Amino acid sequence: MIRGRIEKALSGFYYVNTGAETLQCRARGKFRREGMSPLVGDWVQVRELGGGEGFVEAVEPRRNAFDRPAAANIDQLVIIASAALPVTDPYLIDRISAIAALKDCRVLLCLNKCDLDPAEELYGIYSGSAIRVLRVSAVTGQGIDELRRELAGKLSAFTGNSGVGKSSILNALDPRFSLAVGEVSKALGRGRHTTRHVELFSLGQDTYVIDTPGFASFDTQELDLELKEHLPETFPEFAPYVGGCRFVGCSHTKEKGCAVLEAVHQGKIPRSRHASYLRLYNELKDLKAWD
Ligand code: GDP
Ligand code: ZN
């Protein structure tokens, strides 16, 4: 048996990088029977068959797993946002960050198009939050080296509204990226926005980004119930204060003696972050297990 990581899944094959080579593998039938399929990003044990082929025999425990993109062990979610058109709503950032926190996934916020608009307001909010924030420009190259350092040694998934500059940033990181995307579209004979296959794009030793044309944001619906249960924990900047709330089980929405509200009032927690929390709280509060 040899250990490797699945870098691509296509047409029933898993492409496993063992460090020395990439093996084209089928998965054992037991995975299907157990209702658990290997995913891109998985660390696996492979039995070699020779001729560059093998069988995936076992999947190592995962840090996390997602349906869209269909991938596992995502270390970091890079949210691309912009203060220039199309302007990003902080609520979108906060909602995606909450899901990421739920999934043990670090968040890096990249404020792009800083050549057009320095994004002072968004930068102000997030430099005072628990979310790491970078100002970049895919056009001038500002912040791209810093972004590259933040990606090193991790598997990162990029997300953001269409038009914020996701592809431009990935191309600025490595021009081979657009070639890779182009090839895939041609090979499958479809436009890049309908492509279903998932592939890790290597940016160096142990450094990957998810090259998934066509996914715009994390699929969140099935996570809503879990999010409802753990909402306060997904806003890490609340953590230092929750112990000070007067009531056990304080919802941090309107209670007297709520230490989180007090921290917001004193400017220790960005108001915009708490506003997103309230909006999420209200959206999720009537959700039931059978919904
Ligand atoms: P995507 O839909 O998120 O992949 O966005 P694209 O990378 O296709 O970029 C959308 C548009 O914004 C294109 O016209 C890009 O040239 C432009 N754009 C992307 N990044 C920047 C940037 O940093 N500065 C400026 N001025 N324009 C940018
Ligand atoms: Zn409270």
Side-chain angles (χ1 to χ4, degrees), residues 194-207:
T194 54
T195 317
R196 276 283 185 86
H197 106 300
V198 180
E199 181 166 5
L200 301 186
F201 185 82
S202 172
L203 281 179
Q205 181 81 33
D206 297 326
T207 303

Side-chain angles (χ1 to χ4, degrees), residues 245 250-253 255 257-261:
C245 294
C250 180
S251 71
H252 321 302
T253 56
E255 291 87 346
C258 171
V260 171
L261 285 171

Side-chain angles (χ1 to χ4, degrees), residues 125-140:
I125 294 170
Y126 291 97
S127 50
S129 81
I131 295 170
R132 285 166 314 130
V133 56
L134 283 185
R135 284 198 269 202
V136 307
S137 165
V139 166
T140 66

Side-chain angles (χ1 to χ4, degrees), residues 10 20-21 74 88 112 150 156 162 165 167 173 190-192 202 209 230 238 252 263 265 286 288:
L10 185 63
E21 60 183 331
I74 297 179
T88 307
N112 188 35
E150 292 283 347
S156 302
S162 169
S167 324
L173 286 164
R190 316 181 211 147
R192 48 177 292 206
S202 172
V209 302
H230 298 282
F238 294 4
H252 321 302
H265 187 66
D286 298 323
K288 305 247 171 25

Side-chain angles (χ1 to χ4, degrees), residues 2-6 31 36-39 41-46 56-65 72-73:
I2 183 162
R3 184 175 190 258
R5 194 165 199 188
I6 300 177
F31 291 116
M36 181 274 201
S37 298
L39 290 171
D42 267 329
W43 288 97
V44 295
Q45 295 291 330
V46 167
V56 175
E57 296 280 352
V59 174
E60 294 182 8
R62 295 165 171 160
R63 172 184 184 145
N64 53 34
N73 299 317

Side-chain angles (χ1 to χ4, degrees), residues 52-232:
E53 294 183 11
F55 267 113
V56 175
E57 296 280 352
V59 174
E60 294 182 8
R62 295 165 171 160
R63 172 184 184 145
N64 53 34
F66 294 88
D67 288 332
R68 256 206 287 160
N73 299 317
I74 297 179
D75 299 305
Q76 173 166 268
L77 182 63
V78 181
I79 303 175
I80 311 294
S82 166
L85 289 173
V87 180
T88 307
D89 180 349
Y91 175 69
L92 190 78
I93 298 170
D94 296 334
R95 188 184 167 96
I96 296 174
S97 302
I99 298 285
L102 205 59
K103 292 280 211 168
D104 185 27
C105 201
R106 294 158 38 122
V107 174
L108 175 65
L109 175 63
C110 261
L111 302 173
N112 188 35
K113 307 199 185 187
C114 280
D115 56 304
L116 297 177
D117 186 314
E120 294 296 352
E121 201 178 326
L122 285 173
Y123 190 78
I125 294 170
Y126 291 97
S127 50
S129 81
I131 295 170
R132 285 166 314 130
V133 56
L134 283 185
R135 284 198 269 202
V136 307
S137 165
V139 166
T140 66
Q142 175 194 341
I144 297 295
D145 283 339
E146 213 176 335
L147 172 58
R148 193 174 278 117
R149 280 195 292 278
E150 292 283 347
L151 299 178
K154 304 182 191 86
L155 164 49
S156 302
F158 278 61
T159 185
N161 275 345
S162 169
V164 292
K166 249 185 349 256
S167 324
S168 303
I169 287 177
L170 288 165
N171 282 325
L173 286 164
D174 189 332
R176 286 179 307 141
F177 184 81
S178 61
L179 288 174
V181 171
E183 271 166 27
V184 165
S185 316
K186 248 198 298 183
L188 297 183
R190 316 181 211 147
R192 48 177 292 206
H193 292 295
T194 54
T195 317
R196 276 283 185 86
H197 106 300
V198 180
E199 181 166 5
L200 301 186
F201 185 82
S202 172
L203 281 179
Q205 181 81 33
D206 297 326
T207 303
Y208 294 103
V209 302
I210 288 207
D211 164 19
T212 312
F215 96 88
S217 69
F218 272 71
D219 199 11
T220 59
Q221 256 154 21
E222 72 272 28
L223 290 171
D224 279 354
L225 208 64
E226 208 181 329
L227 187 56
K228 178 187 173 178
E229 218 140 281
H230 298 282
L231 193 59

